[in-house]
Amino acid sequence: MVPAFSDQLVRWQKSHGRHGLPWQNTRDPYRVWLSEIMLQQTQVTTVLDYYTRFLQRFPALADLAAADGDDVLGLWSGLGYYSRARNLHRCAQDVVRLHSGQFPQTAAWLQTLPGIGPSTAAAIASFCFSERVAILDGNVKRVLTRVAAFSGDLASSTQERALWGIATELLPRRKLLEDMPRYTQAIMDLGATICTTRQPACLLCPVQTLCRGFASGTPENFPVKTRKLKRSAMALSLLWAERADGAVWLERRPAPGIWGGLYCFPVFGSEEDLLAALPASLQDRLAAVPPFVHVLTHKDLRLSPMRLALSAREAKVDRLPGDGAWVAREVWTGLGLPAPVRKLLG
Ligand code: SF4
């Protein structure tokens, strides 16, 4: 099955894979790296706009490395998982500082850079430098566990390593220069378009005859992963102070932590804490906004905003809590803001 698997996937990709995505048809590691980081935990359709905007603002790695961190976070605003943006910026700076502005050409070296894990490193190395290394993101795990009817529990790192071994075994062995990038794209495309989580389109699949999961009759039983994400909940009160001219009171969130590095309304553990932080003259002026839930990966945030509308004169007299500052509308629109804050501000 080994050569047949990669051969069939490579052939299928040529005629049936995805070819029109803006980060395809390039071997420029800057572009491939940018897309790979954005695509972690984010849908292709969402990434398209952000990718284009990033390249317009930072056409080359050196532009990103020289950028202000706030500009990078501002441009990332809305994509979520902000540690990706902070690592993106650090990584660009490290490539300039430590590697003379050129990405290293092997997965092993790429992994030494901030925010680049083994699968992302393998994607860059195979797409740009044709290295024979296997990616293993969520889509690829699904494809391979089904093809091999791999019943090991992927919650165990030993089993995940075993699957990585299978992934490496199945890689092309010939014509690597041409076939490695195409194979990597093929297995990504197969997972995204045919071997989907529910109801895989096995009848259209180029490796159906090799697939043990298909032969078992229940390919959806793979992958096996027992550990469930432990979810927790947290209640936060937000002080949404706004001046008549549209400026809002924002402070920078500490990193690490929720919304680390982003600009946010002052955050309190309860409404009582929020009230206690305000001068008595302002407490009666607060207007409660209907609370809502904002869902993070591991946590549900129950957010209760309290709105405080101030005139320019009042804003000068009464100091608001924390280390914040009034930020004019034309400035905050370009800052990195947590998604629920941006939504409230409209
Ligand atoms: Fe996935 Fe079905 Fe193809 Fe097997 S045959 S790889 S289960 S789409």
Side-chain angles (χ1 to χ4, degrees):
M1 111 126 127
V2 172
F5 181 78
S6 58
D7 287 351
Q8 286 175 27
L9 272 187
V10 165
R11 256 200 311 278
W12 172 80
Q13 209 287 327
K14 282 183 190 157
S15 47
H16 292 94
R18 297 176 294 183
H19 295 273
L21 297 170
W23 45 84
Q24 291 179 315
N25 311 314
T26 177
R27 291 195 154 212
D28 177 352
Y30 174 57
R31 288 168 179 247
V32 171
W33 162 71
L34 183 62
S35 69
E36 287 297 320
I37 301 295
M38 287 185 167
L39 288 165
Q40 290 166 0
Q41 294 123 340
T42 308
Q43 304 268 349
V44 168
T45 45
T46 310
V47 166
L48 286 168
D49 278 354
Y50 282 87
Y51 179 79
T52 308
R53 275 204 298 272
F54 250 80
L55 282 181
Q56 275 164 358
R57 178 80 78 89
F58 310 121
L61 178 88
D63 303 316
L64 176 57
D68 187 275
D70 282 345
D71 283 347
V72 178
L73 278 173
L75 218 51
W76 195 273
S77 195
L79 259 186
Y81 302 97
Y82 291 92
S83 58
R84 288 186 296 171
R86 289 190 291 275
N87 279 331
L88 191 84
H89 194 212
R90 280 177 47 219
C91 181
Q93 291 172 331
D94 279 8
V95 172
V96 167
R97 196 166 50 88
L98 304 173
H99 300 279
S100 312
Q102 304 295 320
F103 275 93
Q105 300 199 358
T106 65
W109 269 106
L110 285 161
Q111 277 180 68
T112 63
L113 292 165
I116 300 188
S119 192
T120 303
I124 301 167
S126 63
F127 278 133
C128 305
F129 310 114
S130 294
E131 187 182 354
R132 189 176 178 277
V133 276
I135 60 166
L136 201 60
D137 64 11
N139 280 345
V140 177
K141 282 179 188 167
R142 189 167 58 251
V143 172
L144 293 181
T145 51
R146 289 174 177 174
V147 166
F150 182 88
S151 55
D153 182 353
L154 293 185
S156 136
S157 53
T158 312
Q159 294 299 335
E160 182 159 321
R161 267 200 305 280
L163 186 63
W164 217 302
I166 294 173
T168 306
E169 192 56 26
L170 290 171
L171 292 171
R173 293 177 184 276
R174 297 172 281 132
K175 296 195 293 167
L176 296 186
L177 189 64
E178 191 188 328
D179 281 3
M180 261 319 298
R182 188 164 311 267
Y183 173 86
T184 302
Q185 187 64 54
I187 200 157
M188 284 178 169
D189 291 355
L190 191 73
T193 62
I194 303 274
C195 194
T196 47
T197 308
R198 284 181 214 95
Q199 299 182 326
C202 299
L203 294 180
L204 302 175
C205 179
V207 293
Q208 185 211 93
T209 55
L210 303 169
C211 180
R212 294 181 187 152
F214 175 73
S216 77
T218 51
E220 300 86 347
N221 288 353
F222 304 97
V224 176
K225 189 164 186 182
T226 54
R227 191 175 53 206
K228 296 264 184 284
L229 277 182
K230 273 197 201 130
R231 294 197 64 74
S232 58
M234 182 185 258
L236 297 173
S237 292
L238 306 176
L239 175 61
W240 173 5
E242 197 162 3
R243 243 173 24 193
D245 61 1
V248 287
W249 183 263
L250 296 175
E251 60 182 19
R252 193 157 199 198
R253 298 283 304 156
I258 293 171
W259 304 322
L262 300 186
Y263 288 86
C264 186
F265 300 149
V267 175
F268 300 88
S270 66
E271 192 179 318
E272 292 71 40
D273 290 351
L274 186 156
L275 285 171
L278 277 181
S281 58
L282 295 181
Q283 291 178 3
D284 293 342
R285 306 272 304 276
L286 286 170
V289 173
F292 60 96
V293 174
H294 179 69
V295 178
L296 301 175
T297 329
H298 303 280
K299 218 185 269 286
D300 291 336
L301 297 180
R302 298 179 210 288
L303 301 176
S304 305
M306 302 288 279
R307 195 167 187 179
L308 180 64
L310 297 174
S311 66
R313 192 188 56 77
E314 287 170 317
K316 263 192 205 133
V317 175
D318 281 309
R319 168 125 191 108
L320 292 171
D323 297 324
W326 287 108
V327 182
R329 171 181 285 274
E330 54 275 21
V331 176
W332 64 249
T333 47
L335 288 178
L337 306 175
V341 170
R342 189 171 289 282
K343 209 164 163 191
L344 284 167
L345 287 171

